[in-house]
Amino acid sequence: MRILGLDYGSKTVGVAVSDELGWTAQALETISRKDENKLRKTLARIEELVKIYNVERIVLGYPKHMNNDVGERCAKTESFKEMLERRTGLPVILQDERLSTISAERILMEGGVRRENRKDYVDKMAAAFILQAYMDRMANEQKNQVI
């Protein structure tokens, strides 16, 4: 079973996909759009990826504030979640994404990626961090049920 991870932003959606065993997340691509509210092509591309990778579940980053409050971005993310569920027919799980973009930026800096080139990678890497956090949480929950 493959899982798609998404980092939904105002102009981009970072995309990651799990391996078939659901152990590791790989950054896949960044879908860009000119206007925040023009989502038709973005949703169509996500539908294509769902079919290509035989995805059974989508994990969507949920941008809570550091103090655990939800704001305007969370409301937009919840709306996007509903659109994804209608378009794909798949369950969409919200995953706390706090610090995912900062972690992606840090990895890129440590890897020597130039500042002007980081924007090409940061969203899809953040999606990979979001997806990996979800898969790790699921694995831990399964371990705790067995014990």
Side-chain angles (χ1 to χ4, degrees), residues 6-15 29-39 42 46 60 73 80 97 101 119-124 126-127:
L6 302 175
D7 179 30
Y8 175 63
S10 59
K11 300 278 178 130
T12 61
V13 176
V15 182
E29 66 181 72
T30 300
I31 304 167
S32 299
R33 61 189 181 283
K34 291 184 176 30
D35 185 275
E36 182 173 5
N37 298 315
K38 304 280 185 183
L39 290 167
T42 298
I46 292 169
L60 178 61
R73 264 322 306 157
F80 187 63
E97 70 168 38
T101 300
K119 67 182 181 334
D120 297 334
Y121 302 99
V122 72
D123 294 317
K124 62 185 175 182

Side-chain angles (χ1 to χ4, degrees), residues 62-72 74 96-99:
Y62 196 54
K64 289 182 173 182
H65 296 295
M66 289 306 289
N67 66 0
N68 211 31
D69 284 348
V70 295
E72 181 183 342
C74 286
D96 188 344
E97 70 168 38
R98 285 178 280 189
L99 302 177

Side-chain angles (χ1 to χ4, degrees), residues 99-143:
L99 302 177
S100 63
T101 300
I102 292 168
S103 297
E105 283 274 358
R106 187 170 294 136
I107 294 289
L108 291 168
M109 284 189 321
E110 289 173 3
V113 177
R114 296 174 57 101
R115 179 175 298 183
E116 60 269 17
N117 296 332
R118 282 186 217 144
K119 67 182 181 334
D120 297 334
Y121 302 99
V122 72
D123 294 317
K124 62 185 175 182
M125 287 190 65
F129 278 109
I130 291 164
L131 179 55
Q132 191 65 55
Y134 170 78
M135 292 187 302
D136 291 347
R137 183 170 56 93
M138 292 297 99
N140 282 335
E141 286 179 12
Q142 283 182 334
K143 269 190 229 176

Side-chain angles (χ1 to χ4, degrees), residues 60 77-87 92:
L60 178 61
T77 299
E78 290 166 5
S79 176
F80 187 63
K81 173 187 185 285
E82 291 170 10
M83 285 184 240
L84 283 169
E85 288 173 332
R86 277 194 308 272
R87 290 281 297 253
V92 178

